Every structure is written in C-alpha cells, then in structure tokens.
Amino acid sequence: MKAIRRFTVRPALPERLAALEHLAGNLRWAWHGPTQQLFSEVAPDAWREFQHDPISLFGQISQERIDQLASDDSFVSRANALGDDLSRYLSEPRWYQGLDGDKPELIAYFSPEFGIAAALPQYSGGLGILAGDHLKSASDLGVPLVAVGLFYRSGYFSQALSPDGWQQETYPVLDPDGLPLRVLRQPDGSPVIITLMLPDDQVLSARVWLGRVGRVTLLLLDSDIPENTDELCRVTDRLYGGAEEDRLRQELLLGIGGVRAISAWAERSGVQPPLVFHTNEGHAGFLGVERIGGLIRGGLSFSEALQVVRAGTVFTTHTPVPAGIDRFDASLIRQYFETDLLPGVSVEDVLELGREPGAGANGAFNMAVMGLRLGQRANGVSQLHGEVSRRMFNDLWPGFDPDDVPIGSVTNGVHPATWTAPQLTDLAIRHLGTAETADADWASPAVSDADLWTVRNQMRQEMVWDARKRLQRAWLAQNPGGVAPDWISTLLDPRVLTIGFARRVPTYKRLTLMLHDEARLRSILLHPERPVQIVIAGKSHPADIEGKRLIQKIAEFAKDPAVRERIVFLPNYDISMAQKLYPGTDVWLNNPLRPLEACGTSGMKAALNGVLNLSILDGWWNEFFDGDNGWAIPSAVTENADERDRLEAESMYDLIEHQIAPRFYERNSDGLPADWLRRIRHTLSTLSPRLSADRMVREYVETLYRPAFDSTSVLRHDGFRQARRLAEWKSRVRSAWPDVAIPHVESGGLDFAPQVGDELHLRATVRLGALTPDDVSVQVMHGRSTANGDDLRDVQTAELEAATGTGPSESGEWVFAGTVSLRRPGGFGYSVRVVPKNALLVNPAELGLIAVA
C-alpha cells in the first residue's frame, strides 16, 4: 500500500530547548557557522544526511535524544546564547540603518528562483543562487527587502546518469510542511488565498508560504491547493517546466500574484507596501502591469500610472543572447488579458509594453522588452554584460549609439559566509581575529604560508572524500543490490593539482572543450611528475538534447580505466556539493564563448577560498583578472567555430602544462609552493572584498534603489501631480518630435592648424516646431576621430545654449551656441544632436527620441 501523502511528525521540544525552534525557524542557519555547529551536535550523521537541514533533522531524532539534550546544561546554554544572538541580529541597526537621507522603508525583490539552502531546492542555477545571495547580504546589511517567488512542489530536478552517461531526471515531491516555511494566514487563521482570473472563467488560486531569510521576508506562491483544478494545481509544479502557456501562467502568478501577495502580507504585518520594486530578470515583469492596474483603479490614466511604476522599478537583465529571453505569442497574451485579470488595463496597452521594435501587431511579446519599458533603471550583471546588453537592446532606442542606451551594470557578487569553507574561516578567526574572511588581512604575516597551505590541503581532502561518497551512492543507485567497486574509493588524489568545472550545461559554456584533443588531455592528467585531476559537475535543461550529449561525452571519457581516477563527473550538482567543490579545487576553469557569459559567479565562489581562476576573459573575469589572481585563456579571433575551439583549447592546454602545473608543484626549502601561495594571498586580499555580495547590494542601494525611491516619491507627491505633468509632457513631445530638426551647424574660432587649448565656437540652427528650448537639450558630442571611419571614440557631451536675445525665426528656427575646448592632440570630431529634456528623466535617451545634424 502506497501513501497518498507523507509528512514528518517532529518530537516535542521542551521549554528548555525553545531556542532551537527560534534558530531553526529562520534560514540564517544556512550561513551561520556557530548555529550549524550546534545543530550538528544534535545528531551528526543525520545532520550530514539531511544536507544541514534542522527541520528534517528534528523529524528524525528520538524523543529520548531530545530529553538528553534538554538535560545538558552546556548545550542549553549555547542554544540560548545563539538564540539571543539571532534576536540581536534581527533587531539591531546595521549598515542600511546608518545611511543618511531619504531611503525606502521596504524594497520588493522578485525572482523566479531562489537558491538559499540545499534543504530548500527552489533553484536551477546561477540566477537562483544569485537571488539567494542577494537576500543574505541584504539581511546582513539591514536592507529592508521582501522577496517574492514561486514554491515549486517538485523543484528543478534530481540528476542521475544512465550506464551510457545519458542524463536522467527525476522530480522528488517536496512537502512544504517539512521545510522552514509557514503559511501566510488571515486573522481568523485561514490561509491567505491569492486569485487571478484566467480565460474560460477559470480562477487560478494560490496560497502563500512565508520564510525568514535572516531579516528578509520571503513569500512563495503555491498553486497546489484544493481550490484549483488538477491542471491549475500544476502551475507551480516544476521550475522552468511545461509548454508556452504553462510558462505564461507561472509568470502571471509570479508577477501579478506576487504584488497581491505583498499587499496581503503588508496589511497583516502592519507595514506600508513597497514603492521600489526590483525585477530580477524578465520572468516577473507582469508585476509592473499589476501595479499600473492598481493606480488606474485609483484614478490615474494608463500613461500617468506608467510614469509612477517606471520611476520605482529596477530591472536586471541576466542574458546576453536573445534566445535566452522568454517570448510569448501575442494571441496568447491577448487571450489572457482580455479577461478580468487586470480590470481597467487595456490589452492593447499591455501588448505595446512587450512588442519588439519593428514588430507588427501580432509580433512576439518579449518579457525583457517589457522589463526595460517598465523599469526606468536597468542594469546588466557585469561591465562586459552591460556593454553587450546595450548593443542587444539598441533597437529600443533608435538613433542612439549603444553607449547611450540606458542600461548600466552592477557586477554580481557572492555571499562570503555561504561560500567560504569553514576551515578558511577558522584560520581567519585564529590568526586574524575575524570571521569576516572577505575583509581579512590575508597579506598579514600572522598567517604563515604553512598555515595557509595546510588549510588548502584540508579543503582538497574534504572535497575528495565528498566526491567519492557521491560517486559511490550514484553507483549503488544505478546498480541496486550491488557492491560498489573498489576503484571508486581511490578516485582522485588529495595531493594532486585539482581543476574544477561546474555549472549549467548549455552549449555556449563548452563543457567538452577540454576534450578537444583527448590524447593531450590524457597526457596532462597522467603526467608522471605533475599530474592533474579534473572534477566536473552540471545539469542540462531536460529539453536541451545537445547539452545532454555534452555530459554524455564527458562521462564516456571519464569511464576509461586509464583516466577514471583523474577525471570524474559528479551527478546532481547542487548547493551542498558546491560548498565542498569550490574550496576543494586549486584552479577553477571557465571557457564559455565570449561574450555569452553574463557574469559567471562559480569562479567568484572559488576565489573566496583562495582558488585561482583559469578562464576566458568573459563576464566578471573580464574586469577582475590582473595577472596574479589566475590565468586568462586568449579568445581566438576567427569566424570559423572549429578553428576557434581548437585555438582556445590549445591555449588552455598550454597554460595548464607550462604555467599552472609547474607553479603548483614547485616547492621551496620548506616544501611549500611559495609562488602559488603568493597568488592565493593576492586573490584573497584583492578579490574577496570586490566579489562579495555585500559590495553588490550596496551598489544596488546607492545607485538604483535610493534613486528609484526619490523618483517615484516625487511623482506620487501631492496626488500624483508631477506624474500627470510628466505624462502630458511626454505626450506633447512625442507628438511634436517629427518636426524637430537641425538644418544647419556652423563653426569658427580655430586657426588653420588647431592646437591644444584652442576653443571651437559652434552655432546650431534648430527647428523645434511646437516645442520650446525648455523642452530640449541641444548637445555637441565630441571625441577622438578614427582614421577608418566617422565613428567617434571617448565621446564627451557639452550643452549648447539658446542664443541670448534671440527667439524663433519666422520659420520657427532657434539658434543655439557654445564652445568646446580642445584638450588633447590627435584626431578630433564632433556632431550635434537634440534630445528631450526634463528634470524627471534619468537619461536623455529615455524616450527614444533624437534629432541629429
């Protein structure tokens, strides 16, 4: 007989152990070492088995063990002390509370996935892990976030490999009652239910699970409830699963339902709803139209409401390729928004938000395009990705150069307390007097080379043990009733130079580049004096057949008895594996097709542990590589894909053979790799602070959240007076813009041979039609000219002012004048443009209107 539902009955905790309930109920334990140590003492084997999850742990220990702990005065004292520490952490002022000036009291952060702890598998890869790290650092800094996502009953998937190396997916069903979550309830105790009207008079209902991530509240919407049909129960079944309509329903629930969930939570918590919303990738973009709908029902027009929502929205794009963006058929969007889903919002207005430039009425609905139109502030996730994004979305701002496109960048970061190995943290505590490894003085002689090398060896040893256990479990699962072969217990060698490679497996990440010359790879792995071993992990999307083939190819190579102790593929890559793998390697390998890696945070996590990177100059590595913190694989300049792969693979082999392995194995008179340790210290000292998610969150606060709060506050003031004015002004400018032109520009003030220090005098005749000089900015764009064309480099902008005492001519033309100082020798060029001007615009390109001489 099979159970129709399973749940865990936990033992009753006596009053003396009340602190354990307090500690287990807040996910801060996922990154707080002392709390994890306390839980591990409850039942060490169960703690490891349940992936450091205290909720599951308590479900497996006996009442007798609970009574023993309750009678242990030392344990109770430490539990109470940690409970008091958590209470202080949740209430004391932190960095954010010390900021002067106006700042938002609450910020909403939306993401389709969150990677917080292995015990809460609501993530597939880097996007979710980043979101989890964002919440953790926001909590540590005291930034008042409320986060919104979906609760996926089957999460992503568990990965296994068939005997021939083919990826196999299973979807274990999660019981939220066994997770550190609770249901958001009404005052009468009934669950809060969020509803969305769908076509054919269907109603999609969802309850809201509430989690505490330190100081941050996490709301997860769950459609698997009795109020829904079987079909609608499955809306939140799997992360990134299903067909087009399934994905649309998920994203409607995330965006529209998420805003409604925040309102319900805020009402029950006695707090004001947030005015600033951060959309982490386009999946949650419908949150903007829900907020517009609320303002329309409050008396604003669509255009007026759009100004308010845009001003308070931050949009982060994570993909550097158009194929990675969710797009929906326009007819499907029409079908869903012609219902009562959003009363007062026209379906045509919704379609216009997501319509791609140049597409007709039936063009695809693009979620990233909608995100950019709904967010006055937008960013990529590394400097290079910001450049790529400006080029990719340039068509949204026609006539502007990519450098003018209003998409900035905030380079991702990772949460040090989550990803730094406890051995390295303990070293910092013992010798440097701090547990804050990202800010410790790793150049200090208080940490000897011998100390540092001992810890690095310990981390490698622990990774090897963990890898062997995982491969043994995988073999037994593949061969039920069998006995794992002896060779698994000798896989990998804790003394050997270890390279790690772990990430999602789309084709652009080139998992199999290392196999380009299999004979050469074998010689590297089996070198008699300087052997190398490679540990690989990663999941391919279930529908990505090519990605699965890459995994199979690696698995087939690693099965060869000649090399199987030197190269392994670890199935089911997740947080718990990563926390051993990143610190346990010596070199972290990343070889994507440049510039297709938006950021790539796995190498960041490795670097926090003193691991050196070997990577293509893409994503974060493009801006942080300095020659001493690792090695850069040169990118081949060729249109031939096979030739590119060959050249880049050969460069990778050369670096490993001739630079990396010799440095690792070179020993001084004390038996230590002095140069390698110098590089480790350099990496820890210079990279750790800049790679920290604390730095990232501070950047978001200072450059995006606070400015967004200021902007939306101005528009909301005095009954939305400025929002109405801005909407009217934009409408007037758009209507008049076809008449704006620059018929003539004249210059003077320069000799036949201009010199540095001379001034160029400019007068531009500008036709403004129904506009006035107050509506526009007339600018001279000047910079270095190139010998190969008319493009300018290092462009600077100077304002031309309406000439004093002049008005429009009879033909409606105005004269604008100004000077430009020539400050450097070499080629010089300039052009003149007109763009809209308003104090409430963040960027002159915002309206996508420009007139050029």
Side-chain angles (χ1 to χ4, degrees):
M1 178 70 70
K2 292 185 177 180
I4 60 172
R5 188 190 170 198
R6 296 178 300 160
F7 54 88
T8 301
V9 179
R10 292 187 287 165
L13 292 179
E15 182 62 29
R16 276 173 61 83
L17 295 180
L20 292 183
E21 287 277 12
H22 180 42
L23 292 168
N26 190 305
L27 281 157
R28 187 204 185 202
W29 53 255
W31 71 92
H32 192 244
T35 302
Q36 293 179 0
Q37 178 60 38
L38 182 79
F39 285 138
S40 73
E41 295 175 21
V42 173
D45 291 340
W47 177 247
R48 286 190 295 270
E49 179 184 353
F50 291 104
Q51 299 185 317
H52 297 184
D53 171 15
I55 305 299
S56 297
L57 174 72
F58 290 146
Q60 296 300 316
I61 58 177
S62 65
Q63 190 66 49
E64 180 182 7
R65 177 57 178 156
I66 290 293
D67 294 340
Q68 289 175 352
L69 294 170
S71 63
D72 184 337
D73 290 341
S74 173
F75 182 87
V76 171
S77 175
R78 284 182 290 130
N80 288 336
L82 286 170
D84 292 342
D85 176 74
L86 175 59
S87 296
R88 287 192 298 274
Y89 173 87
L90 297 176
S91 59
E92 68 185 5
R94 302 186 78 82
W95 171 80
Y96 188 84
Q97 286 67 43
L99 294 177
D100 294 330
D102 294 335
K103 53 184 182 284
E105 295 181 5
L106 189 63
I107 300 154
Y109 181 89
F110 281 62
S111 178
E113 50 178 299
F114 289 94
I116 298 165
L120 191 62
Q122 301 291 298
Y123 61 94
S124 71
L127 180 67
I129 300 299
L130 170 77
D133 283 3
H134 195 111
L135 302 195
K136 293 171 186 177
S137 278
S139 174
D140 292 343
L141 295 170
V143 179
L145 287 192
V146 55
V148 181
L150 300 179
F151 179 78
Y152 304 100
R153 185 57 61 102
S154 297
Y156 194 39
F157 67 86
S158 293
Q159 179 198 51
L161 298 187
S162 68
D164 64 353
W166 192 254
Q167 174 178 290
Q168 298 175 316
E169 303 96 19
T170 56
Y171 291 85
V173 176
L174 301 175
D175 179 7
D177 291 324
L179 299 172
L181 303 171
R182 61 182 176 85
V183 173
L184 180 64
R185 297 189 179 276
Q186 304 277 14
D188 64 3
S190 62
V192 168
I193 300 296
I194 305 300
T195 59
L196 277 69
M197 297 299 298
L198 301 185
D200 302 323
D201 296 325
Q202 294 186 94
V203 178
L204 173 59
S205 301
R207 63 182 160 187
V208 182
W209 292 99
L210 188 150
R212 294 290 292 170
V213 186
R215 299 166 69 116
V216 171
T217 296
L218 173 64
L219 306 177
L220 300 175
L221 285 85
D222 177 10
S223 70
D224 189 13
I225 58 176
E227 288 84 346
N228 285 326
T229 63
D230 288 346
E231 180 183 359
L232 294 182
C233 281
R234 291 192 293 272
V235 167
T236 58
D237 182 30
R238 298 178 181 180
L239 174 59
Y240 303 142
E244 180 181 16
E245 188 168 5
D246 299 312
R247 295 201 324 275
L248 177 61
R249 287 172 173 173
Q250 281 193 346
E251 297 186 11
L252 291 170
L253 182 60
L254 174 60
I256 297 173
V259 174
R260 295 174 184 178
I262 286 178
S263 297
W265 166 78
E267 180 181 347
R268 283 146 192 81
S269 303
V271 300
Q272 289 297 313
L275 300 183
V276 175
F277 284 71
H278 184 176
T279 308
N280 189 38
E281 193 48 271
H283 307 282
F286 289 117
L287 70 86
V289 291
E290 164 66 11
R291 293 164 59 212
I292 287 172
L295 292 168
I296 289 174
R297 294 187 288 276
L300 297 186
S301 69
F302 178 88
S303 179
E304 292 162 351
L306 175 60
Q307 310 315 314
V308 178
V309 168
R310 273 179 46 78
T313 300
V314 174
F315 173 67
T316 298
T317 174
H318 288 263
T319 180
V321 290
I325 298 170
D326 270 346
R327 301 164 81 240
F328 297 104
D329 189 273
S331 63
L332 186 63
I333 299 295
R334 184 178 297 279
Q335 178 186 351
Y336 272 77
F337 281 89
E338 283 179 339
T339 65
D340 290 330
L341 177 63
L342 286 178
V345 179
S346 159
V347 66
E348 299 304 328
D349 286 333
V350 174
L351 286 168
E352 184 60 32
L353 288 172
R355 184 169 291 128
E356 296 173 343
N362 295 318
F365 187 91
N366 186 307
M367 294 298 288
V369 167
M370 179 173 69
L372 290 166
R373 287 183 174 141
L374 286 173
Q376 192 173 33
R377 292 166 176 85
N379 68 283
V381 291
S382 69
Q383 290 179 7
L384 180 59
H385 180 234
E387 296 173 16
V388 171
S389 298
R390 287 189 286 275
R391 291 195 300 269
M392 187 166 79
F393 294 109
N394 201 166
D395 287 349
L396 284 171
W397 292 273
F400 287 90
D401 292 338
D403 288 346
D404 294 321
V405 168
I407 301 175
S409 65
V410 176
T411 301
N412 286 342
V414 295
H415 187 246
T418 297
W419 300 110
T420 303
Q423 295 94 331
L424 194 65
T425 302
D426 291 344
L427 181 66
I429 292 171
R430 291 196 314 271
H431 294 280
L432 301 175
T434 179
E436 303 296 330
T437 56
D439 299 317
D441 180 12
W442 290 105
S444 169
V447 176
S448 69
D449 278 0
D451 293 331
L452 190 55
W453 189 238
T454 297
V455 165
R456 287 291 313 144
N457 287 333
Q458 290 171 353
M459 293 190 288
R460 194 185 313 107
Q461 175 72 74
E462 186 166 347
M463 184 277 293
V464 168
W465 287 339
D466 186 69
R468 290 172 179 171
K469 285 188 294 184
R470 289 177 182 277
L471 287 168
Q472 186 178 60
R473 287 199 301 266
W475 192 95
L476 292 173
Q478 202 178 80
N479 302 272
V483 177
D486 291 340
W487 58 262
I488 291 181
S489 64
T490 61
L491 289 173
L492 306 177
D493 185 333
R495 300 164 299 177
V496 166
L497 168 63
T498 304
I499 297 176
F501 183 106
R503 51 190 43 85
R504 289 185 306 110
V505 190
T507 53
Y508 78 85
K509 291 182 183 279
R510 295 193 295 183
L511 168 64
T512 56
L513 186 67
M514 65 182 75
L515 300 182
H516 192 272
D517 184 340
E518 293 187 5
R520 190 169 181 189
L521 177 60
R522 289 173 193 274
S523 71
I524 291 172
L525 297 174
L526 302 175
H527 193 285
E529 297 173 359
R530 297 190 297 270
V532 174
Q533 58 194 13
I534 304 178
V535 185
I536 305 164
K539 294 179 177 181
S540 176
H541 188 281
D544 185 357
I545 301 302
E546 289 305 313
K548 292 182 179 182
R549 288 196 179 110
L550 298 181
I551 292 174
Q552 184 179 42
K553 193 172 180 181
I554 286 285
E556 288 174 346
F557 181 84
K559 282 169 60 176
D560 183 347
V563 297
R564 67 188 178 193
E565 294 186 5
R566 288 286 180 265
I567 181 168
V568 298
F569 181 90
L570 303 180
N572 207 33
Y573 179 43
D574 64 3
I575 288 177
S576 63
M577 179 195 295
Q579 288 176 322
K580 304 292 185 186
L581 182 55
Y582 298 143
T585 58
D586 300 293
V587 173
W588 197 257
L589 175 62
N590 190 30
N591 46 237
L593 286 172
R594 190 180 193 270
L596 302 186
E597 185 82 281
C599 184
T601 56
S602 61
M604 292 180 164
K605 302 177 187 92
L608 289 182
N609 293 279
V611 176
L612 307 182
N613 275 264
L614 169 62
S615 177
I616 295 286
L617 285 172
D618 200 5
W620 74 277
W621 192 235
N622 186 65
E623 63 195 85
F624 287 105
F625 169 65
D626 67 7
D628 276 338
N629 50 21
W631 295 267
I633 302 171
S635 295
V637 182
T638 175
E639 298 297 321
N640 185 301
D642 292 337
E643 179 68 2
R644 177 201 60 215
D645 287 352
R646 183 187 68 79
L647 291 171
E648 294 181 6
E650 287 182 355
S651 294
M652 177 179 65
Y653 297 143
D654 286 343
L655 286 168
I656 295 171
E657 285 182 312
H658 304 306
Q659 295 194 40
I660 296 173
R663 280 184 170 87
F664 179 85
Y665 285 107
E666 182 182 15
R667 297 293 189 266
N668 63 13
S669 58
D670 296 322
L672 300 172
D675 185 66
W676 194 270
L677 285 163
R678 178 188 64 80
R679 290 169 178 267
I680 290 175
R681 287 183 187 271
H682 176 77
T683 294
L684 291 172
S685 298
T686 62
L687 276 185
S688 294
R690 294 186 291 164
L691 299 184
S692 170
D694 289 2
R695 182 272 310 156
M696 173 189 72
V697 172
R698 287 190 183 102
E699 280 192 43
Y700 273 109
V701 169
E702 296 288 15
T703 65
L704 295 168
Y705 295 163
R706 293 185 77 177
F709 176 71
D710 292 342
S711 294
T712 196
S713 297
V714 168
L715 296 186
R716 289 172 177 273
H717 181 66
D718 193 16
F720 300 97
R721 181 166 56 91
Q722 291 290 1
R724 299 178 197 274
R725 287 184 174 180
L726 181 59
E728 185 278 328
W729 177 84
K730 284 187 176 183
S731 176
R732 180 169 58 84
V733 169
R734 285 194 176 100
S735 296
W737 202 259
D739 295 327
V740 175
I742 308 174
H744 181 65
V745 176
E746 60 185 51
S747 62
L750 297 179
D751 292 334
F752 177 74
Q755 297 181 1
V756 172
D758 288 349
E759 289 194 338
L760 171 67
H761 296 265
L762 293 169
R763 288 174 62 88
T765 302
V766 180
R767 188 176 301 128
L768 295 179
L771 301 180
T772 72
D774 291 337
D775 295 317
V776 300
S777 174
V778 180
Q779 303 170 340
V780 54
M781 316 295 292
H782 60 93
R784 289 190 299 109
S785 61
T786 61
N788 298 326
D790 297 328
D791 291 340
L792 297 178
R793 298 287 183 267
D794 303 326
V795 176
Q796 297 180 354
T797 303
E799 290 277 339
L800 301 182
E801 303 291 341
T804 305
T806 65
S809 66
E810 293 182 2
S811 59
E813 295 176 345
W814 297 77
V815 174
F816 289 76
T819 60
V820 174
S821 179
L822 306 183
R823 300 184 180 276
R824 57 191 174 198
F828 180 88
Y830 71 90
S831 184
V832 176
R833 72 180 187 181
V834 183
V835 292
K837 181 178 70 175
N838 188 296
L840 296 175
L841 298 182
V842 172
N843 185 289
E846 191 169 312
L847 272 69
L849 300 175
I850 187 171
V852 181

